[in-house]
């Protein structure tokens, strides 16, 4: 396909240069809305149903009524990919509260907008990151607690993550790991976290303020199928720094080894054995039609 990228807005595919929403949209004014980041591998939209289920769960909590059925959204995602001739893609699915007035009251917004942006994209942290691993810091910014703007809701408000990311950029490293409000390990700015200890995987529970990641769930399933024990439990900072391996998971990042935290080497300071095995298995399984919804 040549020509301008087409973006889905409220039932229409419009050229990128004309894809605009109102300055009175509460998604812009207040971060009032929900979203998903999704990938399409070789013509199969990876875990599309799981992403759409999570989108509806997020919307439910903020009383945002998505003006389409799940089936209609699935079809709209597929149509957007087809219109752009994409088989390998990163998809951003956004539902904003819609146009209101300058006040907070969401009831003033008559109709939420559904936006789908699909484009070609390499893993967010890049191929090199995957092979060599990344360096991170532990951010001084704590993850929003579950009793406040919990990241169990994938909302358009990402300032908590952006503050941590800014700290990472200032420290000249790739990303930041955030602690939860109690001081236990939570997750990275836009990825979940795993540690490897004594041949087992450990990942923080939802109560540590994480987004329950779809890649996280898939990695847990992969590990169990490979007879690697998996535990969801709180992780202390000392456990993190002294673990055998650390890696991050997310739609954009896929699986990325962490080789240094706060200037301290993790394990031998190179991507670990179990991390590499999981990356290999992930690559094998991610393109299988059974793991998603094929473009037809
Ligand atoms: N935690 C947070 C806070 C996230 O935003 C994840 C974990 C990983 O979840 P999934 O379901 O993707 O395995 C996310 C992912 C990107 C991107 O392009 C990802 C997110 C937000 C913005 C960009 O990877 N969310």
């Amino acid at each position: 396909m040549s020509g301008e990228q087409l973006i889905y807005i409220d039932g229409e595919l419009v050229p990128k240069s004309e894809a605009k929403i109102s300055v009175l949209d509460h998604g812009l004014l207040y971060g009032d809305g929900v979203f998903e980041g999704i990938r399409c591998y070789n013509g199969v939209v990876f875990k599309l149903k799981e992403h759409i289920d999570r989108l509806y769960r997020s919307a439910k909590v903020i009383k945002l009524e998505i003006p389409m059925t799940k089936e209609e959204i699935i079809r709209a995602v597929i149509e957007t990919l087809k219109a752009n001739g994409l088989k390998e893609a990163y998809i951003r699915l956004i539902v904003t509260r819609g146009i209101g007035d300058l006040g907070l009251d969401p009831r003033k917004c008559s109709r939420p907008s559904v936006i789908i942006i699909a484009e070609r994209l390499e893993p967010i942290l890049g191929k090199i990151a995957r092979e060599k691993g990344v360096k991170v810091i532990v951010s001084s910014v704590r993850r929003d607690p579950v009793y406040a703007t919990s990241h169990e809701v994938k909302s358009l408000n990402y300032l908590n993550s952006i503050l941590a990311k800014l700290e990472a950029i200032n420290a000249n490293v790739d990303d930041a790991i955030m602690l939860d409000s109690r001081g236990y390990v939570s997750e990275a700015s836009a990825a979940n976290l795993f540690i490897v200890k004594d041949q087992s995987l450990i990942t923080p529970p939802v109560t540590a303020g994480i987004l329950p990641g779809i890649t996280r769930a898939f990695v847990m399933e992969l590990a169990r199928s490979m007879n690697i024990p998996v535990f969801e439990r709180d992780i202390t900072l000392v456990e993190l720094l002294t673990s055998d391996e650390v890696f991050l998971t997310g739609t954009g990042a896929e699986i990325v080894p962490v080789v240094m935290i706060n200037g301290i080497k993790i394990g031998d300071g190179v991507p670990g054995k179990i991390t590499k095995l999981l990356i290999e298995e992930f690559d094998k399984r991610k393109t299988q039609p059974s793991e998603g919804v094929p473009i037809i």
Side-chain angles (χ1 to χ4, degrees):
M1 226 224 45
S2 60
E4 206 176 338
Q5 182 188 345
L6 295 172
I7 292 172
Y8 177 101
I9 304 184
D10 296 328
E12 280 181 62
L13 285 159
V14 295
K16 188 178 178 177
S17 58
E18 291 163 35
K20 297 189 169 79
I21 60 159
S22 167
V23 293
L24 289 175
D25 192 303
H26 280 208
L28 172 72
L29 291 176
Y30 296 114
D32 187 1
V34 294
F35 79 102
E36 286 294 320
I38 311 166
R39 263 179 187 268
C40 180
Y41 296 111
N42 193 29
V44 180
V45 187
F46 181 68
K47 304 284 180 195
L48 180 56
K49 289 192 172 129
E50 287 81 350
H51 279 285
I52 289 182
D53 284 346
R54 188 170 68 185
L55 182 80
Y56 274 78
R57 282 201 301 276
S58 296
K60 180 174 184 170
V61 177
I62 64 164
K63 278 191 141 183
L64 176 66
E65 229 171 278
I66 300 175
M68 291 169 79
T69 64
K70 290 185 181 180
E71 286 310 312
E72 284 169 343
I73 295 211
I74 289 175
R75 247 178 286 136
V77 168
I78 304 286
E79 284 316 309
T80 307
L81 288 167
K82 276 187 173 172
N84 288 288
L86 292 170
K87 284 198 161 150
E88 308 286 333
Y90 180 78
I91 303 152
R92 179 60 57 93
L93 171 55
I94 306 155
V95 186
T96 74
R97 185 73 72 179
I99 299 169
D101 62 19
L102 290 177
L104 264 181
D105 192 344
R107 292 172 304 181
K108 296 276 167 62
C109 307
S110 52
R111 205 179 57 114
S113 275
V114 178
I115 300 161
I116 305 168
I117 307 167
E119 50 190 42
R120 225 170 285 279
L121 196 80
E122 280 296 300
I124 294 286
L125 293 166
K127 261 208 171 89
I128 297 165
R130 215 169 188 243
E131 279 152 26
K132 297 231 154 58
V134 295
K135 293 177 183 162
V136 306
I137 52 161
V138 177
S139 177
S140 67
V141 181
R142 296 283 177 93
R143 188 40 109 206
D144 289 322
V146 289
Y147 48 80
T149 34
S150 177
H151 284 257
E152 293 160 275
V153 172
K154 196 165 167 62
S155 82
L156 293 178
N157 174 359
Y158 258 61
L159 279 183
N160 185 229
S161 292
I162 289 165
L163 286 172
K165 191 77 185 178
L166 284 172
E167 215 178 351
I169 292 165
N170 190 49
N172 220 357
V173 295
D174 302 287
D175 203 359
I177 291 172
M178 304 175 79
L179 305 180
D180 70 11
S181 53
R182 304 164 304 161
Y184 292 109
V185 175
S186 180
E187 60 178 349
S189 63
N192 292 114
L193 177 142
F194 286 82
I195 66 170
V196 179
K197 251 195 184 359
D198 303 327
Q199 316 292 317
S200 295
L201 286 191
I202 312 168
T203 192
V206 171
T207 45
I210 65 162
L211 172 83
I214 284 160
T215 319
R216 171 182 179 271
F218 187 55
V219 165
M220 288 163 84
E221 182 195 320
L222 289 182
R224 286 181 175 131
S225 75
M226 294 158 76
N227 290 320
I228 301 167
V230 183
F231 302 98
E232 270 181 282
R233 67 156 175 84
D234 286 326
I235 298 170
T236 71
L237 186 51
V238 172
E239 280 183 299
L240 174 74
L241 297 173
T242 58
S243 54
D244 303 327
E245 304 177 26
V246 176
F247 62 88
L248 307 177
T249 66
T251 298
E254 298 185 312
I255 300 176
V256 174
V258 175
V259 294
M260 191 174 276
I261 305 176
N262 288 354
I264 298 170
K265 266 189 202 171
I266 300 305
D268 301 325
V270 291
K273 258 195 208 123
I274 291 184
T275 308
K276 283 205 239 169
L277 278 177
L278 284 166
I279 291 175
E280 214 176 285
E281 192 66 17
F282 183 88
D283 281 344
K284 261 190 238 157
R285 293 266 303 267
K286 71 184 184 188
T287 54
Q288 289 178 5
S290 58
E291 302 299 349
V293 175
I295 303 175
I296 35 166

